[in-house]
Amino acid sequence: MSVTLTEALRLPLSEDLSGFLAMLQGMGVPCRVSEESDEQVVRVPAEVIGQVRELYRLYPQGQNIPETFMAVPPQSSSAGLRSSLRATPFTVGVLLVTLFSAVITGLGDNLEIIRWLNFVDFRIQGGYVYFSSLAQTLEAGQWWRLITPAFVHFGFLHLAMNSLWYWELGRRIESRQGRWMLLGLTLVFGVIANFAQYLFGSPGIFGGLSGVLYGLLGHCWLFQKLAPNSTYRLPPGVVGLMLAWLLICLSGIITVVSLGAMAIANAAHVGGLAAGCLTGVIGGLLARKSRHEG
């Protein structure tokens, strides 16, 4: 049985809900916060709305909770997962599209399908690969190629790692800024990452959500720096780990160690991260300004 979340609180953007949300999570209460009409909307299961409102009235910082409130019934892990899936439909949708692409391309083995998803068209003749130019591709009206490489993955590990990171970052943005913001950021980061890889990495066969992921990471990272909020607060070390991995990839050591078997789309990573940092700064400044005005 899935958990339906219902509006319980509507609060100013200036309210810091991190402590209160942490308290609810510690009590096993599924909750979601979204920004609507310059307010924060807290949603919880309908059966605990009264208790949650009373908790916030008495303990808005989530401290000194009386034992009587610990009777809020915890939800099972499976119910929590179903609730997360229902609460972030666009994140789930992108992952389903990615999985479908992995199936029809045989995780990178079906070059006939990949031909239609690659950034530019190509043909294989006499053991050589011949690529069309971007101008020829766009003149042919094949605009979908600007984004589709993001959904192509080469191997199960490539697919699994990128899918897990998109689930982790995408649902944060969808719950904090809404599905349309996540849609826009995914498309923008995807196009920028793909174009950067084509421009600086030369024409080739490339793909993966990693450029988008670095964009989402940069967005959450700098948005949180400028307008602190619990949703974008990443676990300690995550940003450092991702940036360290980017530097390792840029050094070329991965390609050398793998004897050329692993080709890293470094330009896509850098392009996505730069775009994400920019949107994070813009979004964070706008959110901070809105809080001050409120």
Side-chain angles (χ1 to χ4, degrees):
M1 179 177 169
S2 61
V3 178
T4 300
L5 301 184
T6 305
E7 180 179 321
L9 297 166
R10 188 174 284 266
L11 303 164
L13 290 175
S14 56
E15 292 285 337
D16 182 5
L17 296 177
S18 57
F20 184 71
L21 295 176
M23 177 195 67
L24 292 181
Q25 292 169 0
M27 297 169 67
V29 179
C31 58
R32 177 165 60 93
V33 180
S34 59
E35 184 177 320
E36 301 175 14
S37 302
D38 295 328
E39 292 180 305
Q40 298 180 89
V41 179
V42 180
R43 290 183 169 84
V44 298
E47 60 269 23
V48 297
I49 285 180
Q51 288 171 287
V52 169
R53 287 174 176 168
E54 183 67 7
L55 272 173
Y56 183 78
R57 185 181 71 83
L58 297 173
Y59 307 97
Q61 305 303 318
Q63 299 173 347
N64 303 318
I65 311 164
E67 292 295 327
T68 54
F69 280 107
M70 298 305 290
V72 177
Q75 303 294 321
S76 67
S77 58
S78 60
L81 175 60
R82 288 194 295 269
S83 176
S84 295
L85 293 176
R86 289 170 59 89
T88 53
F90 183 78
T91 303
V92 174
V94 169
L95 293 177
L96 289 176
V97 170
T98 303
L99 179 60
F100 176 74
S101 175
V103 171
I104 65 174
T105 61
L107 285 172
D109 291 335
N110 191 334
L111 292 179
E112 284 301 315
I113 299 296
I114 290 178
R115 261 196 65 191
W116 290 98
L117 301 177
N118 199 52
F119 196 72
V120 294
D121 194 9
F122 63 87
R123 60 186 175 86
I124 302 176
Q125 183 177 341
Y128 292 92
V129 182
Y130 299 91
F131 294 94
S132 300
S133 67
L134 180 58
Q136 291 172 326
T137 298
L138 298 181
E139 286 174 3
Q142 298 174 357
W143 293 88
W144 69 84
R145 295 181 182 273
L146 297 178
I147 186 63
T148 49
F151 303 106
V152 176
H153 289 82
F154 302 94
F156 178 77
L157 183 60
H158 190 207
L159 171 68
M161 292 300 295
N162 281 354
S163 296
L164 286 172
W165 275 110
Y166 191 87
W167 169 250
E168 178 63 31
L169 296 170
R171 64 196 178 104
R172 290 173 182 269
I173 293 174
E174 186 167 6
S175 63
R176 176 67 172 80
Q177 292 183 273
R179 66 190 64 174
W180 297 114
M181 176 60 73
L182 179 59
L183 170 61
L185 293 178
T186 298
L187 292 177
V188 168
F189 297 158
V191 171
I192 290 176
N194 290 337
F195 184 76
Q197 184 60 33
Y198 174 81
L199 186 63
F200 296 103
S202 75
I205 301 173
F206 59 85
L209 274 170
S210 50
V212 173
L213 296 178
Y214 269 102
L216 299 181
L217 177 72
H219 180 83
C220 291
W221 176 32
L222 293 187
F223 193 112
Q224 161 69 12
K225 290 290 186 182
L226 294 170
N229 64 91
S230 59
T231 306
Y232 287 177
R233 185 176 296 116
L234 299 170
V238 165
V239 174
L241 176 65
M242 293 290 282
L243 294 180
W245 175 250
L246 176 61
L247 293 176
I248 291 172
C249 291
L250 286 171
S251 73
I253 192 172
I254 301 298
T255 303
V256 172
V257 171
S258 67
L259 300 178
M262 291 182 63
I264 308 297
N266 290 316
H269 296 173
V270 174
L273 179 62
C277 287
L278 178 60
T279 61
V281 168
I282 294 173
L285 289 174
L286 290 175
R288 187 163 68 177
K289 179 181 178 183
S290 179
R291 287 182 182 180
H292 291 163
E293 291 177 349

